[in-house]
Amino acid sequence: MSGVKELGYVVYEVSSLADWEHFGVELLGMQYGEKTDDGFTLRTDEKAHRWVITEGAADDLVASGYEVAGLAELDALVAKLRDAGLEVTEGDAALAAARKVERIFVTADPMGNRVELVHGLADAATPFHSDKLLGGFVTGAGGAGHQVLLTPGVSRETYLAFYIDLLGFKVSDIIVEELAPGIVADLIFLHCNGRHHTVAFGDMPSPKRTHHFMVEVTDIRDVGLAYDRCMDAKQPFEMTLGMHPNDHMFSFYVITPSGFSIEYGWGGLIIDDATWEVKTLDRLHSWGHRPPGVVAELLAAAPAPHGEDH
């Protein structure tokens, strides 16, 4: 198996390090990893980092680190990519040290997203600890979480050839929903381990490379507590609490200081490839996940309880 086995880490370039530290640690409940030359890292488990935050103007995803099972498998994957005509360069010792990996190769997907293929993401020197969480984050064999990337102007056939034929992902399912007359959401979800999807793709109007990154927690109460922390901090929401029909994730979407979203969830489905059947669903949400403005209007329009005034 020379394909990727998990999403090891993501790298974001952000314009405000202070806002991001507060957002990640105080609101999401991550652990501050370490200060770096151009930013800092965030931890969600025993690994040295899962998020690398760098300072810059992009306010967007700048790299995805996909872990491969072993050095031989990494060499085989690199050879496969090069045979397909892709440019793949080996990262130097400084880059490997910054990413806390044993070895690293760099290439790009058809949308121009930087893809880092790595082996040996290091453990941190200390156990994971969060002052905010009752439980922990779901990582392990499922990797850091999942991300949804945007595909402006790139055909599905083209990007699937990269992610499925070369990196070894498999299709989980597809959702096609008409959101309004003539406006259709069409997303495809891919997995490389038991997590329902590690990456998904859709052509949606956005100036960003990424729509959202999902972190999952082990205790459902932590979804509610994070929801309240974000609400109390007046952090803008993209979607309120709800559930997806495909991965069964109970979650909300909060907007980061950089303008893309974080899905904060619990209860995601685990796929067994031996029995999994790919389906096309017709809705993005089983229930909820309503825009906050819609919820606010509905609550404001509701009659006051008997004997009370608005």
Side-chain angles (χ1 to χ4, degrees), residues 4 7-13 38 52 54 58 60-67 81 86-99 101 103-118 147 149-150 162-163 167 169 199 201 209-210:
V4 304
L7 176 57
Y9 59 84
V10 283
V11 184
Y12 296 111
E13 184 179 297
D38 57 356
V52 179
T54 64
D60 206 349
L61 175 74
V62 293
S64 302
Y66 291 101
E67 180 123 20
L81 292 167
L86 275 72
E87 182 179 346
V88 187
T89 58
E90 183 161 12
D92 61 16
L95 180 60
R99 298 293 194 254
V101 297
R103 204 167 175 207
I104 180 169
F105 288 87
V106 180
T107 187
D109 74 7
M111 283 74 71
N113 296 306
R114 179 181 169 109
V115 171
E116 299 180 355
L117 302 170
V118 305
Q147 58 183 345
L149 304 179
L150 301 166
F162 178 82
Y163 280 93
L167 296 192
F169 281 83
V199 64
F201 302 95
R209 292 181 175 273
T210 184

Side-chain angles (χ1 to χ4, degrees), residues 4 6-7 10 61 64 66 109 111 113 115 142 145-151 159-160 162-164 167-173 187-193 195-202 209-214 246:
V4 304
E6 66 185 69
L7 176 57
V10 283
L61 175 74
S64 302
Y66 291 101
D109 74 7
M111 283 74 71
N113 296 306
V115 171
H146 77 234
Q147 58 183 345
V148 175
L149 304 179
L150 301 166
T151 62
Y159 63 74
L160 289 186
F162 178 82
Y163 280 93
I164 294 178
L167 296 192
F169 281 83
K170 298 177 181 178
V171 177
S172 302
D173 44 43
L187 288 90
I188 188 164
F189 301 81
L190 308 182
H191 65 277
C192 61
N193 51 53
R195 193 185 286 280
H196 175 275
H197 57 284
T198 285
V199 64
F201 302 95
R209 292 181 175 273
T210 184
H211 176 267
H212 74 264
F213 187 93
M214 187 283 308
N246 58 344

Side-chain angles (χ1 to χ4, degrees), residues 8 22 38 61 136 143 158 165 191-192 197 200 205-206 223 255 289 291 300 304 306:
H22 178 263
D38 57 356
L61 175 74
T158 299
D165 299 343
H191 65 277
C192 61
H197 57 284
S206 172
V223 176
I255 298 174
H289 283 158
H306 183 68

Side-chain angles (χ1 to χ4, degrees), residues 120-143:
L121 180 59
D123 288 343
T126 58
F128 173 76
H129 174 75
S130 170
D131 291 329
K132 302 297 180 182
L133 298 186
L134 298 174
F137 289 101
V138 177
T139 56

Side-chain angles (χ1 to χ4, degrees), residues 24 32 73 90 96 108 125 130 160 170 179-180 186 194 249 258 275 294:
Y32 188 93
E73 290 85 352
E90 183 161 12
S130 170
L160 289 186
K170 298 177 181 178
L179 303 176
D186 185 352
M249 191 72 71
S258 291
T275 57
V294 171

